[in-house]
Amino acid sequence: MKLSRNTRGISIILLLVVLTLLVAVLSMNVGKMNLSPLEVFKVIIGEGTSKQNLIVFDFRLPRIVLSILVGIGMGISGCIMQSLLKNDMASPGTLGISSGSGLFVLMYITLFASEGLLSPILLPGLAFAGGLTAAFLIFMFAFRPGRDISPTGLILTGVAMGSGYSALSLMLTLRLDKQQYDFALRWQAGDLWGDDWSYIMVLLPWVLIICFYVFYRSNTLNTLNLGNQTASGLGVAIKREFIGLTIAAVALASGSVALGGNFFFVGMVSPHLARKLVGPNHKLLLPTTALVGALVILIADTLTRTISFGADIPTGIIITILVTPYFLYLLSKAS
């Protein structure tokens, strides 16, 4: 039975990989300037025209790679938080981590972007500092001496803190000039703005290294799911592992938020869908969550570039429209 479940899980992961590749190829073909599959193939093998090379390598491929990286980062971050807190509503958005990261990024944009200092290296680092500060404050306010931290109390604290960060972000946004204001507004709605190879080359190792660490600790996450008492009896250093995995979750969410805006629902819904597909074993759950998150953002971004909505709609708005029904379903199941 265990073997068949693992085999089924691996089959689903392979299917998701193939599906992601197919959507990525489709995304390269469609847009305001359509390219046929043959033209895309010629570009890949180095026989495309200068215009075709520009469309694929400078416009579409960076955006596709960014969509996948942001989806992986937000999905796995949400999966870690849900596993550590044992609460299906936990995510970088509900815990206020994304809002904290966003506040620091917006402060940086307000102070330095007008001077041309929008550094691809500093942005993820500042977002991480903001997310870590937010996480520290949330845990500090939710902490009660002599008691275990309540996951529900932690989420409620995160929602309250997130509202405060959003209010501060709005105050900063109102001080921006028109160009900066438009950028900030789209970024807060979930706009994949960092679709430049200089930004992607910073985010790529950031996501891959942290994901490797999280996958390496998948057995630890499985053990923590059994309960703190059981995990402690099995020799798990609960506080150390909790802190390490929390920092990893914050880092993944912060890097994704810095270059892709605030995709609130991806970190919440992706682990749910993945859990229904492969079950709670993190050896299968983590890669499945990563692929589901990547697919959600990739599909939504392809739709925004293909369908005319009468305006240039940020990808995050399309994601919200697509996943809101599922989110309401989760709430109805939880009540």
Side-chain angles (χ1 to χ4, degrees):
M1 182 71 179
K2 184 179 179 181
L3 180 62
S4 63
R5 181 176 295 179
N6 288 341
T7 303
R8 178 177 175 273
I10 292 169
S11 300
I12 289 172
I13 290 171
L14 292 174
L15 181 63
L16 287 172
V17 169
V18 172
L19 188 58
T20 303
L21 291 174
L22 288 175
V23 175
V25 171
L26 175 66
S27 188
M28 274 192 277
N29 289 318
V30 299
K32 292 181 176 65
M33 296 172 285
N34 284 338
L35 294 176
S36 68
L38 180 60
E39 288 173 327
V40 172
F41 178 73
K42 284 183 178 180
V43 170
I44 292 172
I45 64 174
E47 295 182 4
T49 65
S50 57
K51 181 181 177 182
Q52 290 168 349
N53 287 336
L54 181 69
I55 292 171
V56 172
F57 289 121
D58 288 4
F59 295 142
R60 292 188 183 163
L61 192 57
R63 197 169 179 89
I64 290 167
V65 174
L66 181 63
S67 298
I68 292 172
L69 290 175
V70 171
I72 290 172
M74 293 301 290
I76 291 184
S77 177
C79 185
I80 295 169
M81 291 178 182
Q82 289 179 13
S83 297
L84 291 179
L85 299 179
K86 301 174 184 64
N87 191 301
D88 291 343
M89 294 293 108
S91 74
T94 53
L95 286 172
I97 306 298
S98 297
S99 299
S101 298
L103 177 61
F104 271 54
V105 170
L106 196 58
M107 288 169 61
Y108 179 66
I109 291 169
T110 305
L111 295 173
F112 300 110
S114 60
E115 301 175 20
L117 298 174
L118 205 59
S119 166
I121 296 176
L122 278 177
L123 271 174
L126 279 170
F128 176 54
L132 210 56
T133 302
F136 174 77
L137 291 173
I138 291 162
F139 278 100
M140 186 180 73
F141 284 121
F143 177 74
R144 297 290 181 273
R147 298 187 201 170
D148 290 334
I149 293 177
S150 165
T152 303
L154 201 62
I155 290 174
L156 290 174
T157 305
V159 170
M161 295 292 292
S163 299
Y165 297 136
S166 298
L168 289 173
S169 297
L170 181 60
M171 287 175 59
L172 287 174
T173 302
L174 294 174
R175 297 178 56 189
L176 300 175
D177 60 38
K178 187 179 185 308
Q179 184 178 359
Q180 289 177 323
Y181 177 81
D182 289 342
F183 172 81
L185 197 64
R186 294 183 60 81
W187 174 81
Q188 288 173 332
D191 186 35
L192 292 163
W193 72 273
D195 53 348
D196 184 277
W197 288 116
S198 61
Y199 292 102
I200 292 170
M201 287 301 105
V202 173
L203 185 62
L204 180 64
W206 180 287
V207 170
L208 290 181
I209 291 170
I210 298 170
C211 284
F212 178 79
Y213 166 75
V214 175
F215 290 147
Y216 179 70
R217 309 308 297 172
S218 57
N219 280 333
T220 300
L221 282 167
N222 285 336
T223 308
L224 288 171
N225 265 355
L226 300 174
N228 290 349
Q229 211 167 13
T230 304
S232 180
L234 292 172
V236 175
I238 294 173
K239 286 186 179 179
R240 187 184 67 194
E241 297 293 351
F242 187 91
I243 291 171
L245 288 165
T246 299
I247 291 173
V250 170
L252 284 171
S254 301
S256 302
V257 165
L259 301 182
N262 191 358
F263 292 97
F264 182 88
F265 285 111
V266 175
M268 180 185 294
V269 173
S270 298
H272 281 278
L273 293 172
R275 206 172 281 114
K276 286 183 177 298
L277 290 172
V278 298
N281 181 2
H282 285 81
K283 286 185 178 296
L284 300 173
L285 179 60
L286 288 169
T288 306
T289 300
L291 289 166
V292 169
L295 264 174
V296 168
I297 295 184
L298 192 55
I299 291 170
D301 187 60
T302 303
L303 289 175
T304 60
R305 292 191 296 103
T306 306
I307 302 172
S308 176
F309 294 98
D312 190 9
I313 304 295
T315 305
I317 292 177
I318 302 299
I319 292 175
T320 302
I321 294 170
L322 290 175
V323 305
T324 294
Y326 186 72
F327 178 66
L328 293 173
Y329 164 75
L330 289 178
L331 286 176
S332 67
K333 295 286 285 184
S335 60

